[in-house]
Each structure stands twice: as structure tokens, then as C-alpha cells.
Amino acid sequence: MSTERFDRVIQRADRVMRQLDERDGAVREAARRERQRLNSDLARRVSRVGVAIGVVSLITIIVGLIQPIGMFGFLAAVGIAIGIAALLGFMPSGKGNATAPAADLPNGAMVQRFDSYLYRQRGALPAPARAEIDAISRVLPSLKQTLERIDDLNPDAQDARRLMSVHLPGLIDRYINVPAEFRSHKDGEDVTVDERLVEGLHAGRDALAEVAERLARSDVAAFETQGRFIQSRYGEDGQQLLRPGDSKDRDMIES
């Protein structure tokens, strides 16, 4: 088999494996969330353009009522509206880039931006690392739901925020900066760059899962405490809801 034919076979196999990989549930869910984010950003852009055109139109009408603007004034207003619409419509939002979340984002927005970052960087990583990325992605929806309800300064939230904005993106970005031919070289601990990436992602995944579990256990404990309070305060059958002296109503309940 010639070298060119061998390369074509490898490329085809890689393409088939990538297509099969993208059918996995975690990847499919990550892609769905990314589409939702893109659609939401598009809707906000359209809304801003509509508001801007409405403001220009309103100003043009008001000026026209005070002093006729003529055809050239009308064309100028149309040109201004088109320019503003183009500026707002095509201005980069930063959400389409594979950049790490900013450290000052609120909890919920940070999880969303980190989710998008992982999805966009996933294709540049080796297969074992992609498996770790998928495992992290599975944790993010429930983690976002929990983090949105707590303060950014909560210690558990701070741990999660550092992982999502600094440690894990830093690991991935530094890996991508390593030339491909050096990624299989072993270091002094007999570990390759690829293996080090997988180990780091695995440790980060465990840390995020631990934070999510601690927060979930805290919610469960709060729920159990509330349930025990209601049971002890009002008792069975709601009889303690009656005020002392409502003997007639109590007799009706007991009968």
C-alpha cells in the first residue's frame, strides 16, 4: 500500500470515528446547549437592531414635525439606521470564540461560558481527553442550576469558579500551544503531554463533581431540616394548625 493511499485510509477512518464520536449523548447535549446559546445571542442582536432602528425612526419623525427634513434628510436617516444596524449586527460578541470565561462573570454565566469553551476546544484534543471533557460536560447543567442560587463568594462556588475560569482552561490552552510532534514525548516522570492532559482533566472533573455533590448535599440537608420542622410544628393530620380554643373545629376533625 502506497503512502498516499495509507494516508487516505487513515483520514477516512479518523473522519468516521469523529462522526461516531459526535453521536454520543454528552456531545449531542453539549452541541444542543451551544446552539441554544448562539440562538439566544442572535435574538439579542436582532432585538438591539430593532430598538436602534425604532429610535432613529422616532427621532426622524419628531424632527420632521418640527422642521421638514426633505428627501436628503430622509435618506440620511435611513443611512444612519442602516449603519447602526450593521454595527450592532456584526459587532463581535466574544461568545463565538474559544476563550476561557472571564473571572468576574456571575456564577450561571460562568458555567455557560465554560461549557461553550469546552465544546469549542474539544475537537483539538486527543480521544482520551475528549472523554474527560464529555464527563465534565455532564456535570455542568446540574452545577449551573445550583450555582445560580448561591452567592459568588460562597467557598464551594469559589472553588468551582477557579476551576472553570483559571485551572482547567489554563491546562487546555497550554496543551494546545505544545507542537503536535512533542506531545508524545515523555517527561522526567515517564508521562507524555497527552497523558498529563488526561490526568489533569480527570482531576478537574473529580473536583467539580465533588463541589456539585457538596452543594447538592447541602440542599438535601436544608430540605430535610424544613420537613422535620413542619412535622414537629404542626404534627400529623394538621391538627396543630388549630388555635387553642377551637375545640368545636377540633371535634369535627377528630370525628
Side-chain angles (χ1 to χ4, degrees), residues 89-106:
F90 295 99
M91 181 183 297
S93 64
K95 295 183 178 180
N97 302 324
T99 55
D104 58 350
L105 286 174

Side-chain angles (χ1 to χ4, degrees), residues 119-137:
Y119 177 76
R120 291 177 178 276
Q121 295 287 44
R122 182 181 183 277
L125 306 181
R130 290 199 297 268
E132 294 296 335
I133 293 292
D134 296 341
I136 294 174
S137 295

Side-chain angles (χ1 to χ4, degrees), residues 133-153:
I133 293 292
D134 296 341
I136 294 174
S137 295
R138 292 188 186 97
V139 177
L140 295 182
S142 60
L143 182 63
K144 175 178 178 291
Q145 181 181 0
T146 304
L147 287 179
E148 283 180 327
R149 295 185 290 100
I150 65 176
D151 189 84
D152 294 357
L153 298 180

Side-chain angles (χ1 to χ4, degrees), residues 98-101 114-126 129-130 132-134 136-137 163-178 183 193-194 196-198 200-202 204-205 208:
T99 55
F114 180 63
D115 191 17
S116 178
Y117 169 83
L118 291 181
Y119 177 76
R120 291 177 178 276
Q121 295 287 44
R122 182 181 183 277
L125 306 181
R130 290 199 297 268
E132 294 296 335
I133 293 292
D134 296 341
I136 294 174
S137 295
L163 281 164
M164 292 186 292
S165 65
V166 179
H167 299 315
L168 287 173
L171 176 72
I172 294 172
D173 290 345
R174 286 180 173 84
Y175 171 83
I176 292 175
N177 290 337
V178 175
R183 294 174 182 173
V193 174
D194 285 348
R196 187 75 69 185
L197 172 67
V198 173
L201 291 175
H202 184 79
R205 186 243 295 184
L208 278 177

Side-chain angles (χ1 to χ4, degrees), residues 15-94:
R15 185 170 59 252
V16 171
M17 292 301 295
R18 188 181 303 112
Q19 291 173 349
L20 292 174
D21 184 45
E22 290 175 353
R23 295 178 184 176
D24 181 69
V27 183
R28 186 170 59 249
E29 288 300 310
R32 180 185 61 80
R33 293 194 298 271
E34 184 68 7
R35 285 194 299 270
Q36 288 178 340
R37 286 188 287 268
L38 293 175
N39 291 338
S40 177
D41 181 60
L42 177 61
R44 284 192 294 271
R45 287 174 180 266
V46 172
S47 176
R48 289 196 298 267
V49 169
V51 170
I53 292 177
V55 170
V56 172
S57 300
L58 181 60
I59 293 175
T60 303
I61 293 172
I62 294 174
V63 173
L65 292 175
I66 298 174
Q67 180 180 356
I69 60 175
M71 179 59 68
F72 289 105
F74 173 76
L75 293 177
V78 171
I80 292 173
I82 293 175
I84 294 176
L87 180 64
L88 294 176
F90 295 99
M91 181 183 297
S93 64

